[in-house]
Amino acid sequence: MPVSLLWAVDVYGRVFSLSTGGQQWEHCCDAVLEFKRLTAVQQCCWGIACDHHIYLNVHASDVPIRYQEEAYENQRWNPVDNFSDRLLPSDRWQWSDITGLEHKPLDGFLLPSTNWEWEGDWYIDENFGGEPTEKGGWTYAIDFPATYTIDKKWNSCVRRRRWIRYRRYKATDTWAKIPSEGQSGPLPDPFNDISCGGWEISEEPRGRLSLWAVSLQGKVWFRGGIHHHTPEGMSWEEVSLPGEVVQISCGPGDLVWAVLWEGQLIVREGITRDCPQGSSWVVVDSPNPEVGTIHVAVGVSVVWAVTKDNKVWFRRGINSHNPCGSGWIGMVGEMVMISVGLNDQVWAISREDRAVYFRQGVTSTELSGKAWKAVSVPRDGDIRPNSSTSTSSLHSAGCFFSGEVRAQSVMSEDSDTEADPQRAVHEVGASVSSPPSEVTPGDAEAKSPPPALVLSPSQSGGPGDPQWSTVDLEEAQTHLAVGPAAGRGDSSDTCSLSSVVTCMLGLEGLYGPDDHPLWAWVSGGGCAVDCHTQLNWFNSVTALTSSIQAMSLSVSPAQTAAWRKQIFEQLNERSKREIDNFKHYEQAIEQSVWVKKGTMQWWRDWKPHKWVDVRFALEQFSGPEGHKDGIVFLYYNFNEEKKYLHAFINEVTILVPVLNDSKHTFAIYTAERTKQRWPIKLAAATEMEMHDWLALLSVSCCDSRGIQGPPSKQAIWSITCKGDIFVSEPWPSLEACPYPTPCDQMFWRQVGGHLRLVECNSVGVVWGLGYDHTAWVYTGGYGGGFFQGLASSTDNIFTQTDVKSVYIYENQRWNPVTGYTSRGLPTDRYMWSDATGLHECTKASTKPPSPHWTWVTEWAVDYGVSGGTDREGWQYAADFPTSYHGYKTLKDFVRRRRWARKCKLTTTGPWQEVPPIPLSDVTILPCGDQSVVEQIPLWAISNKGDVLCRLGVTLLTPAGTSWLHVGTDQPFKSISIGGASQVWAIARDGSAFYRGSVSTQNPAGDCWYHIPSPARQKLKQVSVGRTSVYTVDENGTEMFPRYYSFARLSVYVFNVALSVQVWIIADKVQGSHSLSCGTVCHRLGVQPMEPKGQAWDYGIGGGWDHITVRGNNIEAPRVRMPSLTDALRPPDISPKCCPLVVFDLQ
Amino acid sequence: MIADDKDVLRDVWFGRIPTCFTLYQDEVTEREAEPFYLLLPRVSYLTLVTDKVKKHFLKVMKAEDVEEIWFEYEGTPLKWHYPIGLLFDLHASNTSLPWSITVHFKNFPERDLLHCPCNSVIEAHFMSSIKEADALKHKSQVINDMQKKDHKQLWMGLQNDKFDQFWAINRKLMEYPTEEGGFRYIPFRIYLTMSDRPFIQKLFRPISPDGHTHTLGDLLKEVYPVAIANEAKRYQVVIHGIEPLLETPLQWLSEHLSHPDNFLHISVIPAPSD
């Protein structure tokens, strides 16, 4: 989880932010402005300052916000001037946009506001559709408008070229004033409330937001046109209203609620991606007809409200079909305002002490959470209010809140301290509860006299006759009974807490700088926490008294090391004392064979293939030299006869979880089985049983091969299409010539985590990218996932999450009577299907890919399909299955649209997140031995196509420190850095680029050189070695190395001693028994002088997606020195680099 | 040198005490009984690992002279239901090795020892300890969620000295919710040689109410302050034959230095006078 911010305003108007990884409120940089309200999202924060103007604070990012302006220069040929700007009267403007219809002189381009600056001057774009043009960038055609080509022909009468210039948003990390202009001049009255959201409505344009504001007169305004390239938005539009609004809240999706002066609420309906401002309002009554609502806060599918008596209410039954919900539930606590953040997490400011509270236990299944917990962290130290102005504002604030300041000591923690009498006093009268099914009344607070009244769901809307009933408090009471019995722990809990707080009051003045801050507003819209997040906000060490600080010293790292070291040393001494001198003694317990048995299902080897019940056993025994070995047995019945199949553990090459939604399946491969493309496929009864077996078998395999601990720096990493990560220790003999070890004998072991791509280099820096484009850096551990206990390192294992989308298609056929319907022809595909149409996939029946995944969104129409869609997401075609287009023609008889639903996986592994930029490709320089502080070049491409260079990557800090943005004229998709810091990249249009002048002193290089693609192919992926560059084109055919002999590439020193390794993932490989997709292949015979190699050697297969051998700098034994000692040479003799190619075989 | 915490588990499991068994001088034998030397696993139980000893001495004895076997060290009958390592730390630390144990086949000390007719008695005792420990650690939730065969695997692991087999299951008993920072209560017993009480056992949490980590010192201060009271070191606090520093976190000790029965057995013994 990347670090994100919770924003808050204190009663003096000062803005603070609290990082999810931090432990104190940081005062916002801009000290001059005082704010009333804030609304934060992940990329920015909007606020209303005390001057009633709206300000925008865009968070600085390593990738700047830059916008490409373009203009076309048009010329016509005439016999006198040749090509000149003398155009015909019927022609387009000399300077125009791409269509030629609009006049676009270069000096007519103005910066949209003072918050922008030009990056440089205008220059000519010399890239045309992936191909470099001649100097000058001209493209030629017969006439305007026509098809342009790079080559000048005899009939080329016109030409044009493209000029580009970038402007950059400069007002980041500062408050930029937004002029309050409507479409027809300045707005009549100043703003009173503001709410930002709506980023989930549509992914296009990127970073789109909805901003809603309320004016002092109670009018509502909508600001459109806010997205990544226009963070300030366009202008305000007034939204008609049924009454006067005091406050508004906009969720991440299509929920928008507002509070009317009279205390009712209004809900916006008709919000869609085409109409983000919605169409109409629906009135919802206040939770309590006598007491009006004063505040509302909405999330994705929750609504929280506060009534005038400061009671908190939760709205039941909110979903995308019913934005109004179905009834109110009274909650514990008295609050003045509430903010709903990401993942529907909730923050609030309490009436009692003006502290910020976090709602604990909010999960997707229990949206109302469990209990309020005070955020008790100090503010940063340098905010001592000593100026005269602050004194006066203090005074005025004191008038309002003096009563509450005194009361602060009682609210400091209220999660589950059952025996806290002070809490009890304050919670009396707070009405609680709900039917037990809705909100667990396990809230400890509910134990006092049962005020517990519940508003019946059926009656919720009707103010006339609210039906009240008591709530079952049984669970709460058992809680109470347990409390005292729980003993010393709990009672001392209370004592220490209260004493600490008293002490604070005694030490500090009433408004001392370290005093409990009084908050006026909080916004969690940009704060990414969920139920798994570990927050350090609730037990602040620095806020406690000195005695506690003294005690906390006992867990300081140095001392930790001391006691651990002591134990390690003493255990060693004990072994020496008690065992080493007595080794000749007999052991009390004789070692024996250990057998683990179980029942499983086996995918039978012979036809008809089916699952059959088998008994499965692992026999482990100690081998002759003390290392362990084993055999797996599989007992089955064949024609009433008992038979068995077995495999030696030391011959097993890999264990692959093949989890699908119906069975807990895994596959066991040996070298022989890899050749056959037919593993032993087994299914366990439960997921846990499968994991137990996999963990045990995996440990046995590693034991038998003497492998333990983390993978070596030379390890080869690979990833399956399920996102499972495997690692193999390379043998020098893999590259031996002429008799290399076949790569089907390689042993792969699994490492915890979930990735889509992994890249490494030869000094042990490993980065991975998740399906959700999150970047992860390898921590040096092993295990994680289902490897627990012994098979996993104790440190270096962290929680890892990944998100991916599942797609299904809705198919329809046109008929003359009813138009498009879901009634197809009998021969048609399923009306709800997968992409092929062969399998039925309905919204209800489609499950996440495996039990590890859980849904995190509802089904939604996916508009981002290649070929385009219409406004409802449909794509049309003449018939199934053909190519689809995004508009309807007369010939189209069928249409389809894609539905997407996101699911999320939470696992563990030796990976730590590298926030905040999502990446689509990454490459690390394969370097030799080097010092731990030397920078390692690492380049990446963001998921938006920006090229990035990571600074500060060293052996000690493999995650690096920051990104350096490398400007490009178009989005990129693949990048690779090879020997001598050569950086090659592929743009999204398939063209290849080389980055010039990259060196240690100039890590980002200076400019891009456009390299013509081989045979004008559109390229997909690139991988660079020291002397050769390998690429894959979009058809998946491999491009063998080309040597660029340009003068500027003289860095290509031809190193004869270098051994090159080329590995790919091939699409389909035929085995003796079956065929496998996604197979690891190794190119044999690749030599510096023979970069194409000789033949393919096929390794593990069946769903492999990615492989990287860039860590493997082991030198192969040479033919000329075939002695054994040579083959066993230590791996790290000389720095080597090895290119990797991943390309598909056709 | 050990580097990883997991190696501690291995070291604890494979701790051995070199022992010399001699037959009690008054036992009637047909010929002289040779002493028997054996490496005893610290984490196991005397009656579980002394089949070889029994066989060795029965060779020189008549069947009618043999009653239930029991062991004694310098006059103290050794309780088989204490782990071997604990017995050694409690009664024989700071003595020279091998540990000299006297074997008896007569005059079973009914007041001091429990009978141990067969291994299933040891198994029952062992499993009940694990269950008690889990009641303290997880309100019995983990042990109750396990299947019968998992229980069996724990026992078989101990009986056959199979570290992997045992820990494959036992790791589940050592898990706890990360947000709680440790077990509910630490299963521990403190043994004193000079007291009439067999041991001290109380409820004690790994984390203090204000969130800081309880250490071995905190535990002793609370439960048996005498052990660490004096500035001149009068007592040694021994676990598995070593003396961890008093600032060692109790949760870590419980996870790494507990016996297979999931209890942290702590011996408080008088410091050697020299």
Side-chain angles (χ1 to χ4, degrees):
Chain A
M1 191 73 57
V3 168
S4 56
L5 299 177
L6 176 70
W7 291 81
V9 184
D10 72 2
V11 294
Y12 316 120
R14 296 178 301 199
V15 176
F16 290 85
S17 62
L18 175 59
S19 153
T20 47
Q23 275 186 299
Q24 68 171 10
W25 290 101
E26 302 283 347
H27 192 209
C28 183
C29 50
D30 203 329
V32 185
L33 279 172
E34 289 177 353
F35 278 82
K36 296 201 307 181
R37 296 205 167 164
L38 292 177
T39 176
V41 295
Q42 276 183 304
Q43 64 268 39
C44 63
C45 183
W46 295 79
I48 303 177
C50 290
D51 61 3
H52 293 289
H53 280 292
I54 288 187
Y55 287 83
L56 168 65
N57 189 337
V58 176
H59 305 333
S61 156
D62 290 331
V63 181
I65 297 172
R66 56 206 291 271
Y67 183 79
Q68 186 189 65
E69 299 278 17
E70 64 167 23
Y72 282 86
E73 182 184 3
N74 305 300
Q75 289 191 342
R76 179 173 284 279
W77 186 85
N78 69 58
V80 183
D81 304 313
N82 208 335
F83 278 104
S84 78
D85 51 13
R86 244 179 265 200
L87 297 164
L88 295 179
S90 60
D91 273 344
R92 53 185 58 193
W93 306 94
Q94 190 211 332
W95 293 91
S96 72
D97 68 348
I98 189 167
T99 61
L101 302 176
E102 229 175 299
H103 183 41
K104 286 272 185 188
L106 291 187
D107 55 5
F109 285 89
L110 299 176
L111 291 171
S113 75
T114 54
N115 300 328
W116 292 83
E117 64 188 0
W118 291 112
E119 230 174 42
D121 206 349
W122 288 98
Y123 63 96
I124 295 160
D125 179 19
E126 292 181 355
N127 173 27
F128 180 72
E131 286 298 309
T133 60
E134 301 272 307
K135 261 279 180 269
W138 293 104
T139 55
Y140 299 85
I142 301 171
D143 196 2
F144 301 116
T147 313
Y148 295 88
T149 58
I150 295 175
D151 306 316
K152 186 159 100 179
K153 298 187 186 129
W154 63 270
N155 59 355
S156 300
C157 292
V158 297
R159 65 177 188 178
R160 70 171 188 184
R161 60 180 173 181
R162 183 167 170 254
W163 289 77
I164 49 185
R165 188 181 193 186
Y166 286 94
R167 59 181 157 88
R168 180 196 292 256
Y169 187 80
K170 65 176 179 183
T172 53
D173 277 351
T174 180
W175 293 103
K177 192 166 169 180
I178 302 298
S180 52
E181 297 280 330
Q183 275 156 334
S184 51
L187 299 189
D189 60 332
F191 288 115
N192 186 40
D193 189 36
I194 191 170
S195 183
C196 190
W199 60 86
E200 283 181 7
I201 294 174
S202 166
E203 284 170 7
E204 290 293 324
R206 168 186 169 197
R208 205 206 67 81
L209 293 172
S210 299
L211 184 67
W212 298 76
V214 178
S215 70
L216 280 177
Q217 289 176 16
K219 289 180 180 156
V220 166
W221 300 82
F222 177 84
R223 191 167 179 92
I226 306 174
H227 55 87
H228 177 75
H229 285 123
T230 52
E232 306 147 288
M234 302 307 281
S235 68
W236 293 103
E237 292 167 49
E238 189 172 348
V239 179
S240 62
L241 286 171
E244 283 181 26
V245 168
V246 287
Q247 189 253 330
I248 196 163
S249 177
C250 169
D254 52 9
L255 270 190
V256 174
W257 282 52
V259 181
L260 295 178
W261 263 110
E262 291 77 22
Q264 302 105 307
L265 297 125
I266 51 174
V267 182
R268 192 69 177 168
E269 289 197 323
I271 294 177
T272 63
R273 74 193 272 279
D274 298 316
C275 179
Q277 65 269 47
S279 52
S280 59
W281 296 103
V282 179
V283 177
V284 170
D285 280 316
S286 177
N288 181 342
E290 268 98 70
V291 187
T293 305
I294 54 164
H295 186 93
V296 69
V298 305
V300 178
S301 49
V302 295
V303 174
W304 292 72
V306 179
T307 46
K308 285 204 174 78
D309 51 4
N310 297 116
K311 291 208 170 90
V312 178
W313 301 84
F314 176 81
R315 187 79 177 170
R316 288 190 316 108
I318 304 275
N319 58 49
S320 51
H321 311 293
N322 182 14
C324 296
S326 53
W328 292 104
I329 300 167
M331 306 301 283
V332 173
E334 293 198 358
M335 301 294 169
V336 290
M337 64 87 57
I338 285 186
S339 171
V340 178
L342 302 176
N343 306 313
D344 286 340
Q345 301 292 314
V346 181
W347 288 268
I349 293 177
S350 79
R351 185 193 67 80
E352 196 67 51
D353 61 351
R354 292 274 170 165
V356 172
Y357 278 73
F358 173 62
R359 186 79 183 167
Q360 277 195 309
V362 175
T363 63
S364 55
T365 49
E366 195 172 354
L367 288 164
S368 57
K370 290 207 166 69
W372 294 108
K373 191 161 192 182
V375 174
S376 58
V377 296
R379 291 167 294 181
D380 54 356
D382 56 351
I383 50 155
R384 192 175 294 270
N386 48 8
S387 71
S388 56
T389 49
S390 8
T391 325
S392 62
S393 64
L394 275 177
H395 187 72
S396 63
C399 295
F400 283 101
F401 304 117
S402 61
E404 287 143 29
V405 175
R406 290 267 177 216
Q408 71 179 61
S409 62
V410 296
M411 299 275 271
S412 81
E413 134 93 63
D414 67 345
S415 58
D416 56 355
T417 55
E418 298 98 319
D420 186 340
Q422 290 170 322
R423 285 297 306 157
V425 172
H426 281 271
E427 293 304 333
V428 176
S431 83
V432 80
S433 289
S434 64
S437 59
E438 298 292 337
V439 179
T440 323
D443 281 356
E445 296 95 320
K447 64 177 181 277
S448 301
L453 295 165
V454 67
L455 193 48
S456 153
S458 58
Q459 297 289 322
S460 56
D465 179 27
Q467 193 185 34
W468 303 85
S469 61
T470 38
V471 156
D472 183 5
L473 281 173
E474 199 176 341
E475 196 183 334
Q477 276 156 358
T478 48
H479 241 276
L480 188 61
V482 168
R488 205 184 334 271
D490 284 335
S491 55
S492 63
D493 187 344
T494 322
C495 300
S496 67
L497 253 185
S498 52
S499 68
V500 166
V501 177
T502 318
C503 195
M504 276 170 68
L505 273 184
L507 286 174
E508 321 286 20
L510 192 57
Y511 292 109
D514 293 330
D515 202 351
H516 175 99
L518 304 176
W519 298 108
W521 198 261
V522 63
S523 175
C527 188
V529 299
D530 61 23
C531 49
H532 302 293
T533 314
Q534 297 276 318
L535 291 170
N536 305 317
W537 293 351
F538 309 111
N539 273 319
S540 166
V541 178
T542 45
L544 299 180
T545 54
S546 54
S547 67
I548 291 187
Q549 277 174 341
M551 281 195 284
S552 69
L553 282 178
S554 64
V555 289
S556 71
Q559 295 226 349
T560 304
W563 60 255
R564 188 177 268 119
K565 211 172 140 205
Q566 161 99 350
I567 286 175
F568 288 179
E569 281 171 5
Q570 289 199 9
L571 281 171
N572 272 342
E573 281 168 24
R574 192 192 74 173
S575 306
K576 282 199 193 96
R577 185 174 71 233
E578 297 179 356
I579 301 176
D580 287 3
N581 293 329
F582 301 95
K583 286 218 164 123
H584 53 287
Y585 279 32
E586 207 174 317
Q587 289 283 352
I589 304 170
E590 293 298 336
Q591 289 299 307
S592 55
V593 175
W594 174 48
V595 182
K596 182 178 163 84
K597 290 179 188 160
T599 55
M600 269 197 255
Q601 287 193 306
W602 172 48
W603 188 247
R604 200 161 79 169
D605 271 352
W606 60 87
K607 285 179 179 166
H609 298 302
K610 61 172 186 180
W611 290 104
V612 292
D613 289 329
V614 294
R615 282 187 303 118
F616 187 76
L618 166 68
E619 274 189 39
Q620 251 193 323
F621 44 82
S622 297
E625 275 106 42
H627 74 264
K628 279 187 249 169
D629 210 340
I631 308 175
V632 288
F633 291 96
L634 197 150
Y635 302 94
Y636 60 93
N637 285 315
F638 183 67
N639 293 340
E640 313 278 303
E641 203 180 324
K642 282 190 178 153
K643 295 202 159 194
Y644 75 91
L645 194 87
H646 73 277
F648 290 100
I649 281 293
N650 63 14
E651 287 177 357
V652 171
T653 53
I654 188 170
L655 302 152
V656 196
V658 206
L659 215 66
N660 58 27
D661 55 0
S662 54
K663 275 201 179 332
H664 307 284
T665 321
F666 63 95
I668 302 176
Y669 282 90
T670 59
E672 189 51 36
R673 294 257 168 195
T674 301
K675 281 195 189 78
Q676 295 171 356
R677 305 281 151 206
W678 189 264
I680 302 174
K681 236 196 258 179
L682 293 162
T686 65
E687 189 188 339
M688 216 169 81
E689 224 172 276
M690 181 183 98
H691 286 165
D692 281 353
W693 272 112
L694 274 177
L696 177 70
L697 289 170
S698 180
V699 169
S700 301
C701 289
C702 288
D703 278 349
S704 75
R705 291 170 186 262
I707 293 172
Q708 58 174 21
S712 74
K713 289 169 181 171
Q714 278 72 41
I716 298 176
W717 296 74
S718 70
I719 290 182
T720 69
C721 57
K722 308 257 178 193
D724 290 325
I725 305 156
F726 287 90
V727 53
S728 178
E729 299 300 335
W731 301 307
S733 54
L734 278 172
E735 295 294 328
C737 196
Y739 303 113
T741 306
C743 62
D744 54 21
Q745 293 188 7
M746 291 165 72
F747 173 69
W748 295 91
R749 60 175 165 146
Q750 198 173 348
V751 171
H754 189 268
L755 295 174
R756 181 181 57 83
L757 181 153
V758 66
E759 279 296 322
C760 64
N761 80 347
S762 46
V763 292
V765 177
V766 184
W767 280 49
L769 305 181
Y771 278 73
D772 60 359
H773 300 287
T774 309
W776 301 88
V777 64
Y778 173 62
T779 61
Y782 58 98
F786 58 82
F787 295 101
Q788 290 180 336
L790 303 161
S792 177
S793 52
T794 29
D795 307 322
N796 299 327
I797 298 292
F798 300 94
T799 303
Q800 193 183 25
T801 59
D802 209 349
V803 175
K804 70 177 182 184
S805 289
V806 172
Y807 300 105
I808 58 172
Y809 289 84
E810 181 182 4
N811 306 301
Q812 294 193 342
R813 180 172 285 281
W814 188 85
N815 73 59
V817 186
T818 50
Y820 285 105
T821 64
S822 55
R823 289 176 57 189
L825 297 175
T827 56
D828 268 349
R829 54 181 54 195
Y830 293 102
M831 289 294 103
W832 288 89
S833 74
D834 63 356
T836 64
L838 299 175
H839 304 103
E840 182 167 31
C841 299
T842 63
K843 283 189 192 175
S845 71
T846 303
K847 290 185 188 147
S850 82
H852 295 137
W853 295 85
T854 50
W855 295 122
V856 289
T857 62
E858 291 301 314
W859 287 107
V861 173
D862 182 6
Y863 300 90
V865 191
S866 68
T869 70
D870 71 0
R871 282 160 58 97
E872 288 176 315
W874 292 104
Q875 294 189 300
Y876 297 84
D879 198 358
F880 302 119
T882 49
S883 67
Y884 298 85
H885 41 260
Y887 47 88
K888 182 179 163 4
T889 67
L890 278 177
K891 291 182 198 156
D892 292 329
F893 286 96
V894 298
R895 65 177 185 178
R896 68 167 190 187
R897 62 177 167 182
R898 189 160 86 166
W899 291 76
R901 192 177 186 185
K902 285 185 179 154
C903 51
K904 183 173 178 180
L905 171 105
T906 303
T907 179
T908 58
W911 306 96
Q912 256 188 319
E913 183 168 356
V914 186
I917 298 178
L919 303 179
S920 64
D921 197 12
V922 67
T923 178
I924 311 167
L925 180 73
C927 35
D929 303 325
Q930 61 171 43
S931 68
V932 288
V933 289
E934 205 175 320
Q935 291 232 357
I936 297 163
L938 185 150
W939 289 61
I941 291 178
S942 82
N943 66 334
K944 309 295 183 206
D946 298 298
V947 176
L948 302 162
C949 172
R950 189 76 176 170
L951 301 179
V953 178
T954 66
L955 283 177
L956 287 178
T957 55
T961 49
S962 63
W963 290 111
L964 186 66
H965 179 245
V966 178
T968 58
D969 291 339
Q970 54 176 324
F972 275 48
K973 61 183 176 186
S974 171
I975 195 157
S976 182
I977 179 167
S981 296
Q982 314 156 58
V983 176
W984 289 73
I986 307 287
R988 286 211 184 142
D989 65 6
S991 48
F993 287 88
Y994 171 79
R995 184 76 182 173
S997 305
V998 179
S999 66
T1000 329
Q1001 291 75 34
N1002 185 15
D1006 59 1
C1007 63
W1008 291 106
Y1009 295 97
H1010 191 160
I1011 309 294
S1013 313
R1016 296 211 168 164
Q1017 298 276 2
K1018 293 220 183 293
L1019 302 180
K1020 193 162 79 176
Q1021 202 217 326
V1022 64
S1023 189
V1024 186
R1026 176 167 287 182
T1027 56
S1028 44
V1029 180
Y1030 295 75
T1031 72
V1032 190
D1033 76 7
E1034 286 187 342
N1035 301 321
T1037 44
E1038 69 276 15
M1039 293 292 153
F1040 281 105
R1042 295 172 56 114
Y1043 301 95
Y1044 297 101
S1045 52
F1046 308 124
R1048 65 172 179 267
L1049 297 185
S1050 58
V1051 287
Y1052 275 32
V1053 180
F1054 208 82
N1055 187 339
V1056 185
L1058 181 80
S1059 73
V1060 185
Q1061 300 175 43
V1062 177
W1063 295 68
I1064 63 156
I1065 305 285
D1067 225 9
K1068 291 191 174 87
V1069 167
Q1070 181 65 49
S1072 62
H1073 208 119
S1074 173
L1075 172 126
S1076 75
C1077 303
T1079 303
V1080 171
C1081 303
H1082 177 207
R1083 190 73 181 173
L1084 299 178
V1086 179
Q1087 295 292 324
M1089 299 305 289
E1090 194 178 352
K1092 286 190 179 185
Q1094 287 150 353
W1096 291 111
D1097 179 30
Y1098 303 110
I1100 186 65
W1104 255 252
D1105 258 4
H1106 192 91
I1107 183 167
T1108 178
V1109 295
R1110 292 170 72 92
N1112 182 11
N1113 64 357
I1114 296 177
E1115 191 161 345
R1118 304 251 181 77
V1119 183
R1120 279 165 284 143
M1121 300 176 279
S1123 72
L1124 266 177
T1125 50
D1126 191 50
L1128 297 171
R1129 240 180 335 174
D1132 47 354
I1133 319 158
S1134 58
K1136 288 288 172 286
C1137 72
C1138 316
L1140 145 84
V1141 186
V1142 176
F1143 42 73
D1144 294 323
L1145 271 183
Q1146 286 223 306
Chain B
M1 187 66 203
I2 327 173
D4 195 279
D5 284 356
K6 278 205 308 291
D7 298 326
V8 174
L9 301 180
R10 213 169 264 278
D11 271 35
V12 164
W13 183 273
F14 291 105
R16 296 283 187 266
I17 295 168
T19 311
C20 170
F21 290 93
T22 41
L23 193 63
Y24 181 56
Q25 57 199 15
D26 291 356
E27 298 283 344
V28 183
T29 57
E30 292 184 312
R31 54 181 191 276
E32 196 182 346
E34 297 278 324
F36 191 77
Y37 297 91
L38 206 55
L39 278 173
L40 295 181
R42 271 183 164 266
V43 296
S44 195
Y45 298 95
L46 269 179
T47 42
L48 188 61
V49 294
T50 46
D51 282 350
K52 288 180 178 176
V53 179
K54 201 168 160 183
K55 269 190 204 138
H56 171 82
F57 291 117
L58 289 184
K59 281 189 277 189
V60 298
M61 295 174 73
K62 279 192 195 143
E64 60 265 30
D65 295 327
V66 175
E67 292 165 23
E68 185 172 351
I69 190 171
W70 61 281
F71 304 93
E72 162 253 310
Y73 171 70
E74 292 189 345
T76 315
L78 295 174
K79 296 182 170 66
W80 63 261
H81 63 282
Y82 285 7
I84 292 166
L86 170 67
L87 291 171
F88 178 80
D89 293 344
L90 207 52
H91 303 298
S93 322
N94 308 313
T95 62
S96 65
L97 290 169
W99 185 21
S100 183
I101 291 181
T102 311
V103 182
H104 293 258
F105 287 96
K106 278 212 173 74
N107 304 322
F108 191 88
E110 305 280 348
R111 286 183 46 212
D112 297 313
L113 299 186
L114 299 171
H115 284 284
C116 180
C118 60
N119 284 356
S120 64
V121 177
I122 312 171
E123 181 182 354
H125 165 74
F126 173 71
M127 289 314 299
S128 77
S129 283
I130 286 190
K131 284 173 187 167
E132 184 181 347
D134 199 57
L136 293 168
K137 290 197 282 194
H138 311 107
K139 297 183 180 171
S140 301
Q141 277 161 2
V142 180
I143 194 80
N144 287 347
D145 283 352
M146 282 184 185
Q147 296 176 347
K148 184 79 188 138
K149 67 180 173 94
D150 296 334
H151 293 183
K152 202 74 190 169
Q153 188 168 331
L154 286 170
W155 167 246
M156 296 298 281
L158 178 76
Q159 182 175 307
N160 298 327
D161 194 25
K162 295 289 184 193
F163 176 75
D164 294 333
Q165 187 181 357
F166 176 81
W167 271 99
I169 305 297
N170 196 52
R171 66 172 171 80
K172 296 176 190 161
L173 294 168
M174 290 296 174
E175 285 166 1
Y176 54 87
T178 37
E179 63 270 18
E180 279 162 34
F183 302 136
R184 240 164 69 84
Y185 298 104
I186 297 291
F188 73 92
R189 283 173 186 163
I190 296 179
Y191 300 81
L192 318 161
T193 39
M194 50 285 165
S195 159
D196 291 338
R197 293 172 73 178
F199 51 77
I200 303 171
Q201 182 177 348
K202 286 184 178 169
L203 292 183
F204 196 81
R205 290 188 188 267
I207 306 287
S208 76
D210 54 23
H212 92 261
T213 315
H214 272 147
T215 62
L216 178 62
D218 295 336
L219 172 76
L220 290 166
K221 206 185 297 171
E222 171 83 29
V223 176
Y224 189 62
V226 182
I228 52 170
N230 238 313
E231 54 289 339
K233 199 181 163 202
R234 284 178 55 209
Y235 295 103
Q236 282 182 305
V237 178
V238 180
I239 309 171
H240 289 291
I242 65 169
E243 289 180 82
L245 293 177
L246 290 180
E247 61 258 36
T248 313
L250 204 55
Q251 174 67 30
W252 190 93
L253 282 177
S254 183
E255 285 171 58
H256 296 89
L257 293 191
S258 284
H259 274 266
D261 66 4
N262 277 248
F263 271 89
L264 195 56
H265 295 286
I266 305 168
S267 311
V268 177
I269 55 170
S273 48
D274 50 51

